[in-house]
Structure formats: structure tokens, C-alpha cells
Amino acid sequence: MDRFVICGGNPLVGTVRVSGAKNSALPCMAAAILTQDEVTLENIPQVRDIQTERRLLSSMGAEVELGSGGNDHRTTICCRNLSDPVAKYEIVKTMRASSLVLGPLVARTGMARVAVPGGCAIGGRPIDLHIKGLEKMGATIVQEHGYLEARAEHLKGAHLVFDKITVTGTEDLLMAAVLADGETVMENCAREPEVTDLAALLMAMGAMIEGAGTSTIRVQGVTGLHGANYRINPDRIEAGTFLIAGAITGGDVTIADCNPDHLRAVIAKLEEAGTKIDVVGADAVRVRSDGHLNAADISTEEYPGFPTDMQAQYMALATQADGVSLVKENIFENRFMHVQELVRMGANIKVDGRTATVQGPAKLSAAAVMCSDLRASASLVLAALVADGESILDRVYHMDRGYERIEEKLQGLGAQIQRMGNVFPVREAEAFAD
Ligand code: EPZ
């Protein structure tokens, strides 16, 4: 397994370009199932989850080219021949988002066999709301031997109200609805930009959708969809992670190729914490900090609130802020895996249920630490960038799932970070993923 060696203390300075959003790319790639035509997606990040999604679609009979036409960030997908509409456990267990093929498979082929994803580091991650919506649209779903088997002669439009706001649940059922008979109204939907991105692709393919990005989405089913060329959004969580990297190191960093509109809650919180943030045109944000940070509380909420995917990164920043910051995690039941590792580096953090109390500023000292999930890994990198000495971060494959060439991007900003191959290579693919 690869590991990072990071020597802390350098303020980060310069410009970094953000990759495309992993959490847009995954549903958009699954949307190709809905047509026999070719779908081309631009601005695809080169991260492990995209490779996993390629393996998943290919295992069903799809033709998936990553880096098509010599462009490393383009993928071309053709699902004309879906010979085996099954999402196998050995793939699903490494990427929960595999459940995103459920809705499109039933909509296109009338059946799907999808391994039940099971839990992960950050929580139980059920997909009961995906199932409930498909059943309301006429699918019969049986669960046995760790698999969901869904069948439907033809899905029919329905009035769905989500019991809880679910991002991939909204995306899965949106993809089911676009080919269903009649109208589907979905209420209490997720409003994340990744949902809007998927809806834009589906409309480019001929779907009839209103209200994406709001809590009520209205879909008029159509008889078929055609191919499309579509460029996905920049990754707002990667952009937010680099904003915190500039803030925590007392640097001056411009994040380019991002969408500042998707970062409003993060920008507001960083300003409250005492950093200077400037939106530069339509696709860049600059963060400057003199290293003095004020404590500020966060409570994670669905979009447009403070994102749960930024909670671990913010906690690293809060360890350096002057005073007590309360970090409340409202979305997932176990998303504090980074806390113990931060404490081992010298942070002063107490967890009580879903609230962490962070007392700062704490002098962090370099240590050997273990990454446990995608965003916890980012938190440990941020802490190591300010820790005194050389930190070793193990199991960075977690980070490679959602951050493209992170060490090269950080090196470009002046960070002292190196990737070291491990002498004991293990089957990383066996690792369970969040
Ligand atoms: C998406 O996961 C993201 N993943 C996650 O990003 C992100 O943290 C999460 O949304 C919240 O924003 C992708 O988009 C691929 P949810 P998702 O369904 O859709 C409960 C990352 O770091 N729930 O919105 O799986 C669930 O347990 C990853 O990039 C049900 O109870 O999250 C959770 O408490 C991690 N039943 C809450 O809803 C369901 O059927 C929100 O989960 C579905 C969800």
C-alpha cells in the first residue's frame, strides 16, 4: 500500500486547478445505461472510484473507454449490449455508489441484480429509500444471498416523498423516472450540485425534468434517450479541501477551475474563522491567512448547508483555531474516524455522540497515522501540513478514491509531500470503501 511522507511547516502559495467532481461523474457514468447510444463525459477525474465504475459497467457488457481520444479526463461509454445487468459484490463492496446502477438498469432492461452495499467506515449506509421508491414505481424487489433482485415490466410514474434527504437516492430514482410511463413527482429531494449535474446530462440525452436542484423534481417519462456529450462540474469538495489547506498553513492559494457558487457555506465559515477569501471571476477562489484563526462551530447539513464531506477537513483547521469549536455531524453516524488520529498528533478533541469539541490552538507534532476513509485521509494530510516534523500516512488508497494526483497538486503549492510505495503490497481492492 502507498503511503505519504509529509514534512509540515510550509505555508502553501500559488494556484491549483481542481478536477471534475467524482460524485457527479459516478451517477453520470451510470446514466449511460439508459441509452443504446454513446455517451461522452468530459472533466472526469482520474481517481480510483472512476476506475471501479468502469470495471462495474464493463462487467455488465458495456464498452467503457477512459481517456478516450487521448484526453485523460474524457470517458466514452456505450451500453448497447448489456449482457449481464448484475452489480457483483466484489465490486460493490469497494464502492457503495455502485447502487447507482439499480434505477437505470431496471428502467432500461426491466431487471437488476445488485449486491447490497453493506456498511462502511462512516456508517450503515442503507439504501432502503432507493428500494422504496422503485417499488412505488412498480418494481418488485427481493433480497436474498446478499443481493437485491429488482424486476419491472415497465416502471410507471409515481409521487415519491423521501423520508430522508438522500443524494444517491434522488439520483437513482431520477434515472428510473426518466423512462417510466407518465409523470413522476419527487419531493424532499437532495439539492446537491451533483444532482443538478446529473439532471443536466439526462436532459441533454432527451429527458424531461423540471426542478433539479430544488427539493421537488418533476419528470415526464419518455420512451427512449439518445447519447450526449457532457462536461461535468468541478469538484466542490476538492476545492474546499484546498481552501482549508491554504488557510491552515497560513498561505495564499488560488483555487482555479472551481465553481464558487457551490462553496458558499464553506467560504462563509472560513471567513468567520478569520481567513480572507476573494471570489475571482466565475471559476476561481483565493484564500489568504496569516495563520491566526478564530474558533467557529459547524453543523453539517444537506446542501446548501455545510457539507458533511468537508467536516473532517474543517476539524483539522479547528485544531489550529484560537478557542473552542463545536463540530456537529448530522448526516452520518460514524464520521469521526479522523479524531483519534488527530489526537495522536496532539490535537485536543473530545467526542460526545455526534458532537466533537475541539480546543485550539494545539501544537501538532508529526506522527505515523492511518487513513480510514476518503475524507478522514484529507483531514490527516491537512494536519500533517502544519505538524512539526515528518508524518507518515498509511493506506492512502482511501484518498486516491476521490482526489486526483493530490500529492502533485500540493507539491505545486510548496508542500513537502512524497508518495512512497509500501514494501508489503496488499490487495487494496479488498478494502471496504465508504
Ligand atoms: C452521497 O452519499 C455522497 N456519495 C457522499 O460522499 C456524501 O457524503 C453523501 O452523499 C452526503 O452528502 C456520492 O455521491 C457517491 P445519502 P449517499 O444517501 O448518497 C441515509 C464522499 O466522501 N440514507 O445522501 O450514500 C444515510 O444513511 C462520499 O465523497 C438512508 O437512511 O448519502 C445517511 O445518514 C462519502 N436510506 C443520509 O441518509 C437510504 O436509502 C444521507 O445519505 C439512503 C440514505
Side-chain angles (χ1 to χ4, degrees):
M1 278 183 279
D2 283 0
R3 50 181 54 176
F4 283 156
V5 178
I6 300 174
C7 195
N10 293 16
L12 299 191
V13 177
T15 297
V16 61
R17 297 195 174 283
V18 165
S19 298
K22 158 182 91 79
N23 290 349
S24 281
L26 293 173
C28 287
M29 289 175 76
I33 291 170
L34 294 164
T35 176
Q36 299 197 20
D37 296 348
E38 202 167 74
V39 173
T40 298
L41 300 172
E42 306 282 359
N43 202 28
I44 295 290
Q46 286 185 300
V47 296
R48 287 165 59 96
D49 275 8
I50 300 303
Q51 292 164 13
T52 304
E53 179 91 349
R54 185 191 61 77
R55 276 202 348 262
L56 174 64
L57 294 173
S58 303
S59 73
M60 298 176 182
E63 292 162 38
V64 184
E65 190 182 352
L66 286 184
S68 32
N71 178 332
D72 290 344
H73 297 97
R74 175 187 297 140
T75 182
T76 303
I77 304 170
C78 182
C79 296
R80 184 168 299 115
N81 307 308
L82 279 180
S83 50
D84 190 17
V86 179
K88 297 175 183 65
Y89 179 61
E90 54 270 19
I91 296 179
V92 173
K93 76 180 179 184
T94 66
M95 187 179 71
R96 303 180 25 67
S98 306
S99 55
L100 277 166
V101 302
L102 184 60
L105 280 177
V106 180
R108 164 81 190 281
T109 72
M111 76 87 71
R113 258 175 71 76
V114 175
V116 179
C120 69
I122 63 176
R125 313 295 295 279
I127 58 169
D128 57 309
L129 301 178
H130 301 231
I131 294 166
K132 193 173 173 184
L134 280 173
E135 287 177 333
K136 190 102 189 272
M137 297 174 78
T140 53
I141 300 180
V142 174
Q143 179 168 338
E144 57 181 6
H145 309 304
Y147 278 79
L148 290 174
E149 181 145 320
R151 290 182 181 279
E153 265 308 295
H154 198 92
L155 291 173
K156 55 185 189 307
H159 184 181
L160 310 177
V161 183
F162 286 102
D163 298 337
K164 283 180 82 165
I165 293 173
T166 160
V167 176
T168 51
T170 301
E171 293 164 346
D172 209 1
L173 291 164
L174 178 58
M175 289 190 276
V178 294
L179 291 181
D181 278 338
E183 180 182 60
T184 297
V185 178
M186 298 162 46
E187 294 192 67
N188 200 26
C189 296
R191 294 181 281 168
E192 271 70 3
E194 293 75 37
V195 174
T196 312
D197 225 356
L198 171 63
L201 167 63
L202 292 169
M203 287 187 280
M205 293 167 69
M208 296 173 68
I209 301 167
E210 286 172 9
T214 74
S215 50
T216 300
I217 298 177
R218 200 176 287 272
V219 182
Q220 300 301 331
V222 295
T223 52
L225 295 181
H226 50 74
N229 280 28
Y230 183 74
R231 181 180 180 82
I232 65 164
N233 275 337
D235 192 315
R236 60 190 171 96
I237 304 302
E238 183 189 12
T241 303
F242 278 110
L243 280 174
I244 291 189
I248 199 173
T249 58
D252 179 349
V253 176
T254 296
I255 292 92
D257 297 346
C258 70
N259 184 336
D261 282 342
H262 296 163
L263 288 160
R264 294 285 170 221
V266 174
I267 288 170
K269 191 54 64 176
L270 290 180
E271 287 176 330
E272 184 183 341
T275 66
K276 178 149 179 43
I277 306 268
D278 297 296
V279 174
V280 182
D283 63 357
V285 182
R286 181 182 181 188
V287 57
R288 280 173 281 178
S289 163
D290 61 4
H292 293 97
L293 298 162
N294 314 318
D297 299 346
I298 62 164
S299 179
T300 64
E301 303 294 346
E302 295 89 356
Y303 191 87
F306 192 92
T308 174
D309 290 351
M310 283 297 301
Q311 178 258 104
Q313 299 92 308
Y314 180 80
M315 193 181 289
L317 185 78
T319 69
Q320 303 305 296
D322 190 5
V324 177
S325 305
L326 297 181
V327 175
K328 192 153 184 319
E329 173 53 58
N330 295 308
I331 307 297
F332 291 110
E333 61 268 32
N334 186 36
R335 204 167 198 174
F336 285 148
M337 302 286 281
H338 41 289
V339 168
Q340 282 321 309
E341 297 301 285
L342 292 173
V343 166
R344 293 185 57 244
M345 296 176 81
N348 181 342
I349 307 171
K350 301 269 184 305
V351 172
D352 178 9
R354 291 201 174 196
T355 300
T357 302
V358 186
Q359 169 77 49
K363 181 159 177 45
L364 299 183
S365 59
V369 291
M370 183 84 73
C371 298
S372 56
D373 60 82
L374 174 54
R375 305 304 173 183
S377 314
S379 177
L380 298 181
V381 167
L382 294 167
L385 289 174
V386 293
D388 179 15
E390 190 171 84
S391 297
I392 310 279
L393 276 65
D394 215 347
R395 300 190 174 180
V396 294
Y397 60 80
H398 286 290
M399 195 148 199
D400 292 333
R401 291 187 48 226
Y403 289 93
E404 177 178 345
R405 298 183 295 104
I406 184 76
E407 72 275 18
E408 292 171 33
K409 292 182 179 179
L410 286 170
Q411 286 161 0
L413 295 173
Q416 292 188 61
I417 176 171
Q418 292 298 328
R419 180 185 290 260
M420 315 292 279
N422 193 8
V423 292
F424 308 108
V426 294
R427 289 168 49 81
E428 294 167 7
E430 287 307 310
F432 283 69
D434 47 85

